[in-house]
Amino acid sequence: MTDRFFISTAISYPNGKPHLGHAYELMAADAIARFMRLDGHDVFFLTGTDEHGLKMIQTAEREGVAVQALADRNSEAFRAMGRALGATNDDFIRTTEPRHYAASQAIWRRMAANGDIYLSTYKGWYSVRDEAFFDEEELTQGEGGKRLAPTGAPVEWVEEESYFFRLSAYQQKLLDLYAAHPDFIGPETRRNEVISFVSRGLHDLSISRNTFTWGVPVPDDPRHVMYVWVDALTNYITACGFPDEAAARWPYWPAGLHLVGKDIVRFHAVIWPAILMSAGLPVPRRVFAHGFLFNRGEKMSKSLGNVLDPLAMAEHYGQDAFRYFFLREIPFGQDGSYSHEAIVARLNADLANDLGNLAQRSLSMVAKNCAGRVPAKGPFSAEDEALLAAAYALPGEARAAMGDFALHAILAATWKLVADTNRYFAAQAPWALRKTDPARMETVLWVTAEVLRVIGLLTQPFMPLAAGKLLDLLAVPAGARLFAHAAAVFAIAPGTVLPEPSALFPRYVEDREGEGA
RNA sequence: GGCAGUGUAGCUCAGCUGGUUAGAGCGUGGCACUCAUAAUGCCAAGGUCGGCGGUUCGAGCCCGCCCACUGCUACCA
């Protein structure tokens, strides 16, 4: 049975360089993608850039470059970030690609054929300065009865021809969808918000613009380009080969998960499924929203000067530590806070001291006392059995946590096992057994190595480099690194020659005052 | 304003359908050990579970009121 799993990040708007928020979403998605692959699923992992729209035009003008050149340059910066983070996306979609034009126009035609698209006028109070429309109630009265935006900017009444999507017709169908699939939107709090939003009623959606041309032309009406909704969201099926339903990747649709920021859940949980229903296509299985990151509890902003470059951070702390920190520290789905001190604390305590040192202390004993081979195992004590049972239970716990995308919980459970193993090692004191009962010492070392093997397997999605190195140190063959191998039948074989042990994670030592990110 | 949610040790958070002395990690204090990356282990201190009232044999978990905080209340990706 083929068990396909398509996971996507939102596509990023490349009118600037990638920031930590982009990195966080990509790291999380990558961890999920790797997890699912290791758990035996056929995964298609997509990320990319959303390159159309007015902001791109304006940024390009400001910088004095062609829009396409700006898109090319910044899109490449997002790809570079992916490489720096170890992202294993199978494709990188750009909305300026021909395949995306084809898909967007095809889905538009299907929506139109279904009677859900009509031409009308988009009207409202527009503030040129804010580049935004405002509701009547939001406006305030200025001098001489002039209407002002909440920002104090003057507004003018604008009417503009636009195509509309009959979103209002999908209210009940969406509510039915949410009711039939309680985990369609996660976490719970987002689901409540979306349901409450949709319950209040839906307006039709303006889905084209005729004031600029940087976009996908509307079929049969080249005066219009598609506005963000249809254009951006369609990327997910573009990458699956739409409209060619015989394409190699089409079987990956519908997506198993759209991972998005909490600010754009609605687009993915309301507009997107409505568009798909209109086009007669299956809707994604799940949409999950992650939270925002705060620097020492403060929002990142250019004016505060606390915007950090994710590439520099990954370089500074190391790719694994960088990934580990954000996925372990923040309950996935909630907002989180980070600081240099917090990252260093996690890096040293969890990675260097707990896991790194556990591997070092046990494997160096194996190297010195077992001729560098996996030790022999004798009869198991109750302690041995208990620890091994805890290890072999880990994949199941991890899988259960992944059901809610509780990445932090998977890592917490894994580090609980690391701590148990350190306790076990200290209690068994193999260094003392060396003189009194060498056979028992070997058994203790074998059990420790076997648990490390399981830990190595389960940490691969989160810190691929270090986990790979740990498995190398245990001489685990490349073909035996799936979660399915985290079981007794695949236990590490006594006598196997092991490489010379070496440190997994260096301790982070402050270079000087004020150093760090 | 309306709707939803949160408030548990210094910090970040667990606490299942209400049931013996409320937990974890980090941080703090002390001890032990020496295999190990000055790593690890053990012990301890520390909480009126936001406040008040109620239901109950019994409430952090249920109900009411109050206080504080957060999110949503559509065309910005």
Side-chain angles (χ1 to χ4, degrees):
Chain A
M1 171 185 131
T2 41
D3 188 6
R4 297 188 186 85
F5 182 76
F6 172 19
I7 174 175
S8 70
T9 66
I11 47 176
S12 306
Y13 202 64
N15 66 337
K17 286 189 187 309
H19 58 66
L20 192 54
H22 295 117
Y24 179 54
E25 183 168 308
L26 188 59
M27 289 191 287
D30 184 63
I32 296 169
R34 286 178 185 262
F35 186 102
M36 296 302 277
R37 284 191 203 104
L38 289 165
D39 207 22
H41 298 78
D42 176 10
V43 172
F44 174 43
F45 173 24
L46 177 72
T47 188
T49 43
D50 168 26
E51 309 181 1
H52 291 131
L54 190 56
K55 288 252 167 68
M56 285 294 285
I57 300 170
Q58 293 169 332
T59 302
E61 278 173 5
R62 194 162 53 245
E63 296 189 12
V65 297
V67 196
Q68 187 63 57
L70 174 75
D72 290 347
R73 187 193 73 198
N74 284 345
S75 184
E76 174 50 33
F78 280 85
R79 284 182 193 253
M81 178 183 74
R83 291 191 290 272
L85 299 177
T88 55
N89 50 294
D90 301 291
D91 196 353
F92 187 100
I93 180 88
R94 299 183 55 185
T95 55
T96 48
E97 294 175 69
R99 60 172 170 161
H100 184 64
Y101 278 57
S104 301
Q105 293 177 332
I107 197 170
W108 181 289
R109 284 201 157 92
R110 289 172 70 146
M111 293 160 70
N114 198 38
D116 286 331
I117 292 179
Y118 61 93
L119 189 62
S120 183
T121 49
Y122 184 57
K123 36 185 182 274
W125 295 101
Y126 184 77
S127 160
V128 177
R129 195 196 295 171
D130 300 316
E131 298 163 22
F133 283 88
F134 294 96
D135 277 346
E136 185 82 49
E137 326 60 280
E138 294 181 89
L139 303 177
T140 57
Q141 292 289 329
E143 292 173 33
K146 283 182 72 173
R147 295 168 203 269
L148 301 177
T151 56
V155 294
E156 54 187 297
W157 184 254
V158 171
E159 296 198 10
E160 177 179 327
E161 184 182 85
S162 171
Y163 283 95
F164 282 78
F165 169 49
R166 219 175 287 283
L167 181 62
S168 58
Y170 288 88
Q171 177 181 12
Q172 193 53 49
K173 286 172 183 159
L174 288 167
L175 291 173
D176 291 345
L177 169 67
Y178 308 146
H181 302 281
D183 64 354
F184 177 69
I185 307 164
E188 190 82 27
T189 174
R190 300 298 156 222
R191 171 182 151 80
N192 291 344
E193 286 177 6
V194 169
I195 290 176
S196 122
F197 172 79
V198 174
S199 299
R200 277 191 289 266
L202 297 171
H203 303 157
D204 288 348
L205 196 66
S206 165
I207 54 170
S208 77
R209 290 291 119 107
N210 62 5
T211 49
F212 56 87
T213 57
W214 180 240
V216 181
V218 166
D220 307 319
D221 191 347
R223 298 171 304 141
H224 287 258
V225 293
M226 296 182 193
Y227 192 48
V228 58
W229 315 122
V230 177
D231 180 351
L233 292 165
T234 298
N235 91 83
Y236 303 120
I237 57 172
T238 299
C240 291
F242 187 79
D244 176 10
E245 299 190 10
R249 277 180 181 156
W250 187 246
Y252 286 104
W253 191 259
L257 170 66
H258 288 317
L259 184 63
V260 300
K262 65 179 186 180
D263 52 336
I264 57 171
V265 233
R266 184 188 310 145
F267 309 147
H268 288 77
V270 179
I271 297 175
W272 181 223
I275 288 175
L276 288 164
M277 288 177 193
S278 173
L281 294 167
V283 302
R285 299 191 200 292
R286 303 181 70 173
V287 174
F288 192 89
H290 65 255
F292 290 159
L293 303 180
F294 298 95
N295 188 327
R296 293 174 197 282
E298 291 193 318
K299 190 173 178 177
M300 287 179 283
S301 76
K302 286 174 187 167
S303 56
L304 282 170
N306 60 0
V307 177
L308 301 176
D309 175 11
L311 274 79
M313 288 177 83
E315 169 99 8
H316 186 79
Y317 301 109
Q319 182 193 107
D320 286 321
F322 184 59
R323 291 170 60 114
Y324 175 81
F325 173 80
F326 286 100
L327 300 178
R328 170 65 185 88
E329 180 88 358
I330 303 165
F332 198 60
Q334 296 183 26
D335 290 346
S337 191
Y338 64 92
S339 66
H340 172 66
E341 291 72 19
I343 296 172
V344 170
R346 281 284 178 200
L347 202 175
N348 284 341
D350 294 6
L351 301 185
N353 297 349
D354 287 351
L355 178 55
N357 185 58
L358 172 63
Q360 187 77 349
R361 70 196 300 208
S362 55
L363 293 177
S364 72
M365 279 201 75
V366 170
K368 289 173 190 162
N369 303 299
C370 307
R373 290 166 178 271
V374 174
K377 53 172 170 170
F380 289 146
S381 69
E383 290 81 1
D384 301 341
E385 300 276 15
L387 185 63
L388 288 168
Y392 296 140
L394 188 58
E397 291 174 45
R399 203 170 286 125
M402 185 55 88
D404 298 321
F405 306 115
L407 307 183
H408 61 290
I410 297 173
L411 288 169
T414 305
W415 258 259
K416 166 75 164 56
L417 179 61
V418 171
D420 285 345
T421 310
N422 267 316
R423 265 189 287 279
Y424 165 86
F425 202 80
Q428 300 304 312
W431 55 91
L433 294 169
R434 185 177 52 185
K435 294 167 186 167
T436 60
D437 190 349
R440 175 62 195 156
M441 174 200 74
E442 290 211 28
T443 300
V444 170
L445 293 176
W446 182 89
V447 169
T448 305
E450 171 61 359
V451 175
L452 278 172
R453 185 181 71 88
V454 173
I455 291 167
L457 293 173
L458 270 293
T459 48
Q460 291 179 100
F462 306 95
M463 14 183 259
L465 269 27
K469 181 172 179 182
L470 175 57
L471 294 173
D472 288 345
L473 291 175
L474 294 166
V476 177
R481 297 187 173 190
L482 299 176
F483 291 167
H485 295 108
V489 284
F490 298 103
I492 192 164
T496 306
V497 177
L498 297 176
E500 193 72 17
S502 71
L504 227 44
F505 303 99
R507 261 185 85 76
Y508 184 99
V509 181
E510 300 288 353
D511 289 342
R512 54 183 185 276
E513 281 303 296
E515 164 73 30

